[in-house]
Amino acid sequence: MKPPAVEKVLLDGAAGAIETDVTDPGDGRVAIALIAHPHPLMGGTKDNKVVTTLARTFHALGCATLRPNFRGVGASAGVHDQGIAETDDLIAVAAYAKQRFGNLPLICAGFSFGSYVQTRVVERIGVHQLVLVGPAVSRFKTGTVPSGTLVIHGEVDDVVPLSAVLDWARPQNLPVVVVPGGEHFFHGRLQVLQQIITQHWHKP
């Protein structure tokens, strides 16, 4: 998949700048995809390979994509806030996207810690779909999510055990798509991740 052209912007957030990478498929865009990266204190950034795979996949499906850096990462101002202020920042990026691209359906996708923050976002704003990859449910108190949420997890995830995700999903009757042999960062299985998202795609 050819990488789309990336525009780097600095948006205004409560703590200052939010460094964000934006891709735009043009007038044929059908939705906005807001993608959140893994834990910043563990090296997570908007350039994480799972996050960039998500961005390329949603771009190919016709979405304008936005990948912000959380507080204290890259050129984003502020300090890490355990996902609390980060929730406000993602909502600010979503508002920017709506203002720029129009009132298109919003898809919120996150990887690991980013999944946790996105579950907080959807409690406050309306979204078309929530996509959680390697959700860190054993590390952060993660609430219930809307029905229709796409959850993807590696079979042998060594950071967040699959059993913990199943225990979280079971009371919600929430299906979990398991990548056989996949670990937390989906080494060697990014194409499988792309295929799963594409297969579950329903054009808004």
Side-chain angles (χ1 to χ4, degrees), residues 91-106:
I91 291 172
V93 176
Y96 163 84
K98 294 273 189 176
Q99 183 178 41
R100 175 170 172 177
F101 297 115
N103 193 31
L104 292 171
L106 176 65

Side-chain angles (χ1 to χ4, degrees), residues 111 134-135 153-162 182-186:
F111 171 44
H153 208 78
E155 178 191 16
V156 292
D157 191 315
D158 54 338
V159 176
V160 182
L162 174 60
E183 45 69 84
H184 192 63
F185 292 96
F186 294 88

Side-chain angles (χ1 to χ4, degrees), residues 70-114:
F70 282 131
R71 295 180 173 213
V73 179
S76 289
V79 295
H80 178 65
D81 193 37
Q82 304 296 328
I84 299 170
E86 287 84 353
T87 302
D88 296 330
D89 291 344
L90 286 187
I91 291 172
V93 176
Y96 163 84
K98 294 273 189 176
Q99 183 178 41
R100 175 170 172 177
F101 297 115
N103 193 31
L104 292 171
L106 176 65
I107 297 158
C108 285
F111 171 44
S112 195
F113 170 76

Side-chain angles (χ1 to χ4, degrees), residues 141-155:
K141 186 174 175 55
T142 307
T144 58
V145 294
S147 62
T149 296
L150 175 59
V151 181
I152 306 170
H153 208 78
E155 178 191 16

Side-chain angles (χ1 to χ4, degrees), residues 16-129:
I18 306 174
E19 181 183 22
T20 305
D21 284 1
V22 181
T23 69
D24 179 16
D27 292 340
R29 70 185 78 87
V30 297
I32 295 164
L34 174 60
I35 304 163
H37 69 69
H39 205 297
L41 301 186
M42 305 294 180
T45 77
K46 63 178 175 55
D47 298 318
N48 169 273
K49 66 181 182 179
V50 173
V51 172
T52 56
T53 297
L54 291 172
R56 287 196 300 270
T57 303
F58 282 116
H59 180 87
L61 293 169
C63 300
T65 74
L66 297 95
R67 289 182 289 128
N69 265 336
F70 282 131
R71 295 180 173 213
V73 179
S76 289
V79 295
H80 178 65
D81 193 37
Q82 304 296 328
I84 299 170
E86 287 84 353
T87 302
D88 296 330
D89 291 344
L90 286 187
I91 291 172
V93 176
Y96 163 84
K98 294 273 189 176
Q99 183 178 41
R100 175 170 172 177
F101 297 115
N103 193 31
L104 292 171
L106 176 65
I107 297 158
C108 285
F111 171 44
S112 195
F113 170 76
S115 284
Y116 165 66
V117 182
Q118 292 287 31
T119 65
R120 291 173 50 85
V121 169
V122 300
E123 291 176 350
R124 292 173 50 188
I125 64 174
V127 302
H128 175 71
Q129 187 177 26

